[in-house]
């Protein structure tokens, strides 16, 4: 079966389609015949260095259950499911941990399920830990990305007041306004009036700018994979709070809430209130182009790979 791997670090061109034997599920794993695999920045970064080689990129996947481990109950062969593959996601068949997987309801498309199983959970999870109340002003960085484009919509659905979309380039302004953003700011420019809550998925200098954009008694939620530094005295002087968010920790430690969020995301999408956006879908042998799109910061919503699609 076909899978995408890289044998040396480098840019998108390091990715190669290879033939491997079909994976066998471990006791707690589902084997999915993949309809779509998601391509996201933290995984794209790994081609530049980090994992042991060869490496088969992981990520969010959706497909049909074609095999399951001995410990699993309640799953059916042939049912649609979405989840996270820790490696080997860009493939015709992928293994997912059943603990992070969910059956996909009939009224949710495969593409939407893919966008929600990770991106939607991060978007709703960060708004939840922020404790957004009706009328709160909310700033979202990387607002056109896989997580951010859902956060902007969900903030509005939760009754936020002014929602500010912060993006890397002005060319994304129309897209984020279409999602419901009231204001759009570009990182390099002035960010205008301060907000009650900032959600940062970028890190570094943008983390600093996000903190500076938060009003006294407001809070910043940091979920970026890059990091950022602060002096806690600044928080004291400004009465600000900073809270971290990890989806994996949230799923492990607040399981009931995580499951409620997933059901809420399915419901809002089926009713048309929440619209996951797919920027581009590419065949497996164009995985390099998918990585290039993410590295070039061009995506408006999600970039997907479709193993069934021919180039
Ligand atoms: N804590 C968690 O559990 C968790 C889970 C999933 C994802 N994340 C984090 O959430 C963030 C967003 O992920 P995503 O899946 O939404 O991303 P994505 O769909 O892959 O898109 C990447 C987004 O990040 C922005 N960006 C900022 N710096 C960038 C850079 N150096 N290179 C490329 N893009 C850059 C891009 O837009 P602009 O150019 O407009 O900024 C783009 O919208 C990442 O930092 C990721 O690590 C955290």
């Amino acid at each position: 079966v076909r899978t995408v791997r890289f044998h040396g670090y480098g840019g998108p061109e390091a990715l190669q389609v290879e033939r491997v034997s079909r994976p066998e599920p471990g006791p707690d794993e589902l084997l999915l015949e993949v309809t779509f695999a998601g391509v996201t920045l933290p995984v794209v970064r790994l081609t530049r260095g980090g994992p042991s080689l060869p490496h088969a990129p992981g990520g969010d996947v959706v497909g049909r259950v074609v095999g399951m481990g001995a410990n699993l109950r309640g799953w059916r062969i042939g049912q649609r499911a979405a989840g996270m593959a820790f490696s080997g996601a860009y493939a015709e068949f992928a293994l997912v941990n059943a603990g992070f997987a969910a059956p996909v309801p009939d009224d949710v498309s495969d593409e939407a399920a893919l966008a929600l199983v990770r991106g939607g959970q991060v978007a709703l999870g960060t708004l939840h830990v922020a404790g957004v109340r009706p009328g709160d002003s909310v700033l979202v960085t990387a607002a056109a990305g896989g997580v951010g484009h859902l956060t902007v919509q969900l903030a509005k659905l939760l009754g936020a007041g002014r929602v500010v979309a912060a993006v890397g380039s002005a060319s994304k302004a129309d897209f984020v306004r279409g999602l419901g953003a009231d204001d759009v700011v570009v990182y390099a420019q002035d960010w205008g009036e301060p907000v009650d809550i900032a959600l940062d998925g970028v890190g570094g200098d943008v983390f600093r700018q996000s903190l500076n954009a938060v009003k006294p008694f407001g809070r910043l939620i940091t979920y970026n994979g890059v990091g950022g530094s602060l002096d806690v005295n600044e928080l004291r002087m400004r009465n600000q709070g900073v809270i971290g968010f990890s989806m994996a920790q949230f799923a492990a430690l607040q399981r009931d809430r995580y499951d409620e969020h997933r059901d809420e995301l399915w419901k809002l999408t089926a009713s048309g209130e929440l619209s996951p956006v797919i920027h581009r879908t590419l065949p497996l042998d164009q995985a390099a182009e998918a990585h290039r799109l993410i590295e070039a910061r061009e995506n408006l919503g999600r970039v997907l790979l479709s193993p069934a699609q021919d180039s």
Side-chain angles (χ1 to χ4, degrees), residues 114-125 146-147 150 154 261 265 274:
L114 188 283
L116 297 176
V117 70
R118 163 185 166 282
Q121 282 284 5
V122 176
L124 196 51
V147 174
L150 297 171
L154 288 165
H261 281 186
L265 291 164
L274 179 67

Side-chain angles (χ1 to χ4, degrees), residues 39-45 60 84 118-119 121-123 126 141-149 151 166-169 172 185 187 200-203 206 222-227 244-250 291 293-303:
V39 178
T40 61
L41 181 56
V43 171
V44 168
R45 284 200 175 108
D60 33 16
M84 301 290 300
R118 163 185 166 282
Q121 282 284 5
V122 176
T126 52
T141 69
V147 174
H149 89 286
T151 315
V167 287
S169 118
K172 297 180 178 179
V185 299
Y187 304 144
D200 179 40
V202 177
V206 175
T222 171
Y223 67 95
N224 73 78
V226 169
F245 179 84
S246 148
M247 189 189 83
Q249 286 284 316
F250 183 60
H291 274 218
L293 274 168
I294 298 287
E295 286 198 341
R297 306 168 82 142
E298 288 176 16
N299 58 307
L300 302 174
R302 294 302 309 268
V303 174

Side-chain angles (χ1 to χ4, degrees), residues 4 12 15 17 39 90 282-292 305:
V4 175
L15 300 173
V17 180
V39 178
Y90 302 179
L282 292 158
L284 277 191
D285 63 3
Q286 289 185 36
E289 170 60 9
H291 274 218
R292 190 202 62 76
L305 294 174

Side-chain angles (χ1 to χ4, degrees), residues 153-177:
Q153 297 180 63
L154 288 165
K156 279 288 171 195
L157 289 168
L158 292 175
R162 188 168 61 101
V163 172
V164 184
V167 287
S169 118
S171 61
K172 297 180 178 179
D174 288 347
F175 175 70
V176 289
R177 279 194 199 282

